[in-house]
Amino acid sequence: MGKNKIIYSIRVPRILEATVALIAEKGIQNITLDQVAQRAELSKGGLVHYFPGKDKLIESAVADFFRKIFERGREIRDRIDNPLKQLLSYTWLYNKNDPDLLVGYRLFFDIMSIASRDRRYRQVLQDFVENWITLLKASISRGIAAGDFQVRDVEETARSVSAVYQGVASRWFLDPENHSDEWAVRTVESLVGFLVTNKL
Amino acid sequence: MGKNKIIYSIRVPRILEATVALIAEKGIQNITLDQVAQRAELSKGGLVHYFPGKDKLIESAVADFFRKIFERGREIRDRIDNPLKQLLSYTWLYNKNDPDLLVGYRLFFDIMSIASRDRRYRQVLQDFVENWITLLKASISRGIAAGDFQVRDVEETARSVSAVYQGVASRWFLDPENHSDEWAVRTVESLVGFLVTNKL
DNA sequence: TAAAATATAAACCGAATAGTCGGTTTATAA
DNA sequence: TTATAAACCGACTATTCGGTTTATATTTTA
């Protein structure tokens, strides 16, 4: 593919964006090739030319989007030096005004739902999570080296931190009426702080 | 509906069971009326006679199933007297050998995914969660009264406890290879214990 | 017991949709 | 200029599926 590199580099991002936007709107299971083609402003034939099959299309769009979100998290973390503050730096995820996050949460819930039955999607999810775990482990290790953290098992603690973020995010996103932004941030700060400093 | 009470009380549970089983297998979005009818051993016409429309059918099946799961949690909790042990009593949710839980998790992820776009489902989810919150608040209040817990805000703490359970469960269920039963139980015990005793 | 209400099955309808394909246009290379 | 491959279009096909209709059987009721 891609004899004409210029047109390719215009079309493909546009298709991926259209796909992700539609998924956010209707759900992975409910988008159609016609809809994607229409939003990406090309024909169904053209769409299929770039992504042969709906599965391939969705897979690419999801992977691309998650990669971007992760990059963002890493960049924000990298601007911080203190290990504990790094571990708490992901509260940008609790921002209702960020349209990318609205998309991201919906995508994430979709993926989880499908992953509960489909090994392939389970792998996508695991890979995504593993990236964050790696990031968290680095911060924890630095905190230990600096003498700030008391942690029995870095890996296990990183997974607990990550699980806390996810649990809080789920409630915060799906029931904002009963779970304020402040509750989310307070809970994460309290629990993550405990995980890295009060381990017996 | 259901002038004939006897036949009704046989058909309806059978239909609900078939629906839930099929949802667990294929996902809410992917079941068909024909499949449900076949598994419940009646015709599609018969099925529609009892539940006029797919939405009604799914709604009833989900509500019925969640009610049963909640009843189970309450019964287990009621057999325990110590407030902290009550708060930790829900680790029966981390049991891979229970077929009802396999069904339950898949259902739950489906609901979350749809709820992220559909107000009706968000309400279903909120109602379900609110039941657990009520249960947790009761335990926390008893612990405070007994002088065992130090908690700033009962409601907020109950929601944090619940979020911890959910976050841990998500990881434990979707990536069992990297999140052992022991990790799940240890994490919950550690975090919940902290939430009710070390609040500043 | 006859009429009415209910229960059930099977055939059917129409909309939606993933994927295919023949053919056209456009860009690059010879 | 010409040959070739990529890019693109949109009509067509086959299938799926929710819901309806029609017909028949069973149960309730008057």
Side-chain angles (χ1 to χ4, degrees):
Chain A
M1 213 178 292
K3 179 135 186 187
N4 185 337
K5 297 289 184 191
I6 295 161
I7 202 77
Y8 184 83
S9 71
I10 291 172
R11 283 287 195 223
V12 167
R14 179 173 246 166
I15 290 170
L16 294 178
E17 278 163 33
T19 306
V20 166
L22 271 168
I23 289 176
E25 203 175 294
K26 298 162 180 287
I28 283 187
Q29 319 247 26
N30 300 317
I31 65 168
T32 71
L33 293 182
D34 283 311
Q35 287 165 356
V36 173
Q38 192 178 358
R39 182 164 313 204
E41 290 177 304
L42 83 172
S43 71
K44 179 149 77 165
L47 172 61
V48 172
H49 170 72
Y50 286 103
F51 296 94
K54 200 182 179 183
D55 287 349
K56 262 276 176 291
L57 171 66
I58 289 174
E59 188 191 337
S60 307
V62 168
D64 183 64
F65 182 83
F66 275 175
R67 191 184 46 69
K68 282 181 191 160
I69 289 285
F70 175 69
E71 283 309 322
R72 197 168 146 190
R74 186 163 62 186
E75 276 165 24
I76 292 173
R77 188 212 61 165
D78 283 348
R79 290 202 294 271
I80 298 169
D81 202 56
N82 177 280
L84 180 56
K85 284 188 180 161
Q86 281 189 343
L87 290 179
L88 300 176
S89 73
Y90 306 95
T91 44
W92 58 272
L93 290 165
Y94 305 147
N95 176 10
K96 291 207 173 61
N97 298 320
D98 186 326
D100 273 350
L101 291 180
L102 175 64
V103 171
Y105 278 107
R106 288 176 170 175
L107 221 61
F108 194 70
F109 287 124
D110 273 10
I111 301 287
M112 284 201 293
S113 145
I114 301 172
S116 75
R117 302 181 187 85
D118 183 319
R119 187 174 289 170
R120 258 171 69 90
Y121 274 81
R122 207 145 53 224
Q123 192 59 53
V124 169
L125 198 62
Q126 283 179 22
D127 293 346
F128 180 62
V129 168
E130 230 47 34
N131 284 337
W132 297 98
I133 298 291
T134 305
L135 234 54
L136 293 169
K137 282 202 291 191
S139 297
I140 294 172
S141 296
R142 287 190 53 241
I144 294 173
D148 294 339
F149 294 170
Q150 272 121 46
V151 169
R152 193 171 53 77
D153 181 317
V154 174
E155 169 95 17
E156 178 160 328
T157 303
R159 294 192 186 282
S160 298
V161 169
S162 182
V164 165
Y165 267 104
Q166 172 162 353
V168 169
S170 298
R171 292 295 161 84
W172 168 83
F173 184 77
L174 292 175
D175 184 7
E177 205 176 312
N178 291 308
H179 302 81
S180 67
D181 301 3
E182 292 73 30
W183 167 82
V185 172
R186 256 203 306 272
T187 300
V188 164
E189 288 185 346
S190 166
L191 290 177
V192 171
F194 165 71
L195 278 169
V196 293
T197 57
N198 289 303
K199 203 82 177 184
L200 43 103
Chain B
M1 206 183 294
K3 251 313 179 13
N4 187 337
K5 296 291 182 191
I6 295 162
I7 202 76
Y8 184 82
S9 69
I10 292 172
R11 285 286 195 221
V12 167
R14 177 173 250 165
I15 290 171
L16 294 178
E17 278 162 35
T19 305
V20 166
L22 271 168
I23 289 176
E25 204 175 294
K26 299 161 179 287
I28 283 185
Q29 319 246 26
N30 301 315
I31 64 168
T32 70
L33 293 181
D34 282 313
Q35 287 165 354
V36 173
Q38 191 178 2
R39 181 163 317 203
E41 290 177 304
L42 82 171
S43 72
K44 181 154 70 166
L47 173 60
V48 172
H49 171 71
Y50 287 103
F51 295 94
K54 198 183 183 183
D55 288 348
K56 261 276 176 292
L57 171 66
I58 289 174
E59 188 190 337
S60 306
V62 167
D64 184 62
F65 182 83
F66 276 175
R67 193 184 44 69
K68 283 181 190 161
I69 290 285
F70 175 70
E71 283 307 323
R72 198 167 145 189
R74 185 163 62 184
E75 275 165 24
I76 292 173
R77 187 212 61 164
D78 282 349
R79 290 202 294 270
I80 297 169
D81 202 56
N82 177 279
L84 180 56
K85 285 188 178 159
Q86 280 189 346
L87 289 178
L88 300 175
S89 72
Y90 305 97
T91 45
W92 59 271
L93 289 165
Y94 306 148
N95 175 11
K96 290 207 172 61
N97 297 320
D98 186 327
D100 273 351
L101 291 180
L102 176 64
V103 170
Y105 278 108
R106 289 176 169 175
L107 221 61
F108 194 70
F109 287 124
D110 273 10
I111 302 287
M112 284 201 294
S113 145
I114 302 173
S116 74
R117 302 181 188 83
D118 183 317
R119 185 176 291 172
R120 259 170 66 92
Y121 274 80
R122 205 143 56 225
Q123 192 59 54
V124 169
L125 199 62
Q126 284 179 23
D127 292 346
F128 181 62
V129 168
E130 230 48 34
N131 283 336
W132 297 99
I133 297 292
T134 304
L135 234 52
L136 292 170
K137 283 201 291 191
S139 296
I140 294 172
S141 295
R142 287 192 52 242
I144 294 172
D148 295 339
F149 295 170
Q150 272 122 46
V151 169
R152 193 171 52 80
D153 182 317
V154 174
E155 169 96 16
E156 177 161 326
T157 303
R159 295 193 186 281
S160 299
V161 169
S162 182
V164 165
Y165 267 105
Q166 172 161 351
V168 169
S170 299
R171 292 296 160 84
W172 167 83
F173 184 77
L174 291 175
D175 184 6
E177 206 176 311
N178 291 308
H179 301 80
S180 67
D181 302 1
E182 293 73 31
W183 167 81
V185 172
R186 255 203 307 274
T187 300
V188 165
E189 288 184 347
S190 167
L191 291 177
V192 171
F194 165 72
L195 278 170
V196 294
T197 58
N198 289 304
K199 203 80 179 187
L200 42 104

